[in-house]
Amino acid sequence: LLEQKTGDVMFFRILQKESVGDLIKGLAQTREVIGPRAKGSEFVFDVIDNPDDLVLDYTTTLLPPKKYFLKSKEEMMHYNSKTGEVSEDEVAVEPRVLFGVHPCDIHSLLLLDKVFLDDYIDPYYKARRENTLIVGVSCMPTPLCMCNAFGTGEVHDGFDLFLTDLGDYYYVTCQTAEGANLIDKYCETRDVEPADVDALQARIKKFNEAFVPAPDTSEIPLLFDAKYNDPMWDEIGDPCLACGACSMVCPTCYCFNVRDVQDADGVTGTRVREWDSCCFSDFAEVVGGHNFRPKRSDRVKYRFYHKQWGYLSRYGEVLCVGCGRCNTACKVNINPRRVLEALTKVGEE
């Protein structure tokens, strides 16, 4: 047993695939189980009532797991403007497990943690994180994946259990004592043997070789500095539809709007927080009607600068995990790969 840090452990087990159903049934006794399931030809994170509905060899989900921690829309309080009475909504979160999370999505939660748990503790996000176990699962890259560019294709933190697919069985990494206790409680496992380690190494090699080559990101921050006013931003950003789809499907976008919704009586109402997008036309509009980013290309440029430069300057990491969801969602081909390739090309001229 290898001690990693306070409260964490690290050891490894082998779990046969047919035993995953027993693990799901056991977890469901005390927790809500959420995992990837099919929805038509796509996949979504949803409540798993039947272990047979769980799909662990999925490509990616339509929406990232952030929707379970930063809700797309939630009520924060109710008010009465006549009496001045305010009643804050309690954050009621039942214990749950998010099962089958890809490495890039685990990384995305760690990036969101810096925003909502470091500088300012958001009680809504904090309550949901503290009541959720994370079980990760390995994947194989699709042509749209860019986790190799950002180092998010493998993960060593941020989960309780991680399952690496080795064919007929999973190589299980137990990172927390709670995760280890649950897998020991609900299903049979065996010790890791030398052949399992060989299979793991072969699987890692296969994973790394499956990627479409990614742009070199080592000089990207410097190029963002140098090319702020480059015409490439108009070429890429002018076709933007300002629909915000890229932000809605992004696992690391965290902008939100807070507004008061008044009831018909004109006295009572509800304060609501909901997802917002820097691509929306009114995102940078202030009182008086002035808009700091009136052009679509300005807003596209701002989005990429925030992710690849602004967040990096503050937290030392970029705010992109290369999941490819924005590539699928955008109807005019605006995506990180295109932007990074354009920056690199301009930098070579």
Side-chain angles (χ1 to χ4, degrees):
L1 198 66
L2 176 64
E3 292 291 339
Q4 292 293 99
K5 58 185 179 180
T6 304
D8 284 4
V9 299
M10 185 73 77
F11 70 98
F12 311 97
R13 302 293 295 168
I14 298 300
L15 175 68
Q16 296 298 321
K17 284 189 172 180
E18 57 266 26
S19 298
V20 172
D22 295 332
L23 179 58
I24 297 297
K25 291 176 183 178
L27 292 170
Q29 295 177 19
T30 56
R31 296 176 176 271
E32 180 183 52
V33 179
I34 298 165
R37 62 189 301 171
K39 185 176 183 179
S41 61
E42 305 293 342
F43 302 95
V44 296
F45 280 110
D46 199 358
V47 176
I48 302 296
D49 295 317
N50 185 340
D52 293 338
D53 293 334
L54 185 70
V55 181
L56 292 181
D57 58 349
Y58 68 103
T59 50
T60 190
T61 54
L62 292 172
L63 287 178
K66 80 173 181 185
K67 66 179 181 176
Y68 292 104
F69 305 97
L70 180 65
K71 297 182 67 173
S72 59
K73 185 176 182 179
E74 63 183 322
E75 295 180 353
M76 303 176 72
M77 72 176 194
H78 297 271
Y79 63 87
N80 186 311
S81 58
K82 186 174 183 179
T83 64
E85 182 182 1
V86 173
S87 59
E88 293 188 19
D89 287 21
E90 294 185 5
V91 188
V93 184
E94 297 296 325
R96 63 190 179 188
V97 56
L98 195 56
F99 202 105
V101 187
H102 284 169
C104 61
D105 281 337
I106 294 176
H107 273 285
S108 74
L109 294 176
L110 296 176
L111 293 172
L112 292 179
D113 286 350
K114 295 179 184 295
V115 177
F116 292 105
L117 299 180
D118 284 1
D119 296 339
Y120 168 79
I121 297 179
D122 184 291
Y124 305 90
Y125 182 90
K126 181 175 183 287
R128 294 173 185 130
R129 279 292 264 154
E130 289 179 343
N131 283 277
T132 306
L133 289 176
I134 302 293
V135 178
V137 69
S138 64
C139 57
M140 290 299 292
T142 71
L144 300 182
C145 290
M146 278 187 63
C147 58
N148 55 333
F150 304 113
T152 56
E154 59 182 49
V155 64
H156 307 287
D157 197 10
F159 58 87
D160 296 276
L161 298 170
F162 191 89
L163 314 181
T164 301
D165 190 343
L166 296 184
D168 295 331
Y169 61 91
Y170 291 107
Y171 187 102
V172 184
T173 303
C174 307
Q175 192 191 51
T176 66
E178 186 171 12
N181 291 335
L182 288 171
I183 197 170
D184 282 343
K185 181 177 180 179
Y186 295 124
C187 52
E188 293 185 6
T189 61
R190 66 170 174 82
D191 292 336
V192 174
E193 300 174 355
D196 302 319
V197 177
D198 291 341
L200 178 66
Q201 291 176 321
R203 199 265 174 205
I204 293 172
K205 183 174 185 292
K206 181 180 179 182
F207 174 79
N208 291 329
E209 292 175 345
F211 281 99
V212 174
D216 181 8
T217 59
S218 59
E219 300 298 329
I220 290 299
L222 179 62
L223 290 174
F224 267 100
D225 276 338
K227 301 300 178 180
Y228 185 82
N229 294 314
D230 196 277
M232 60 160 279
W233 291 111
D234 289 331
E235 178 185 347
I236 292 175
D238 280 345
C240 175
L241 303 176
C243 65
C246 54
S247 300
M248 301 302 111
V249 302
C250 178
T252 61
C253 277
Y254 56 81
C255 288
F256 58 82
N257 187 26
V258 177
R259 61 190 180 92
D260 290 343
V261 181
Q262 198 170 53
D263 296 333
D265 60 12
V267 176
T268 58
T270 305
R271 179 158 295 177
V272 176
R273 176 166 75 172
E274 56 193 357
W275 289 355
D276 203 353
S277 172
C278 59
C279 291
F280 290 159
S281 60
D282 61 351
F283 184 83
E285 186 176 330
V286 296
V287 174
H290 179 71
N291 195 326
F292 286 92
R293 289 185 288 274
K295 294 169 55 181
R296 296 181 181 188
S297 58
D298 290 340
R299 298 193 291 273
V300 169
K301 180 169 70 172
Y302 172 82
R303 183 171 188 269
F304 281 98
Y305 265 83
H306 176 226
K307 287 187 169 295
Q308 302 289 339
W309 190 92
Y311 189 95
L312 174 69
S313 66
R314 184 167 187 175
Y315 297 110
E317 299 177 79
V318 298
L319 195 65
C320 179
V321 295
C323 68
R325 289 185 177 93
C326 61
N327 199 322
T328 302
C330 183
K331 303 307 178 185
V332 292
N333 192 34
I334 301 174
N335 57 74
R337 183 181 295 274
R338 184 182 174 199
V339 169
L340 298 182
E341 287 178 346
L343 279 170
T344 303
K345 181 179 179 181
V346 170
E348 292 173 349
E349 292 179 353

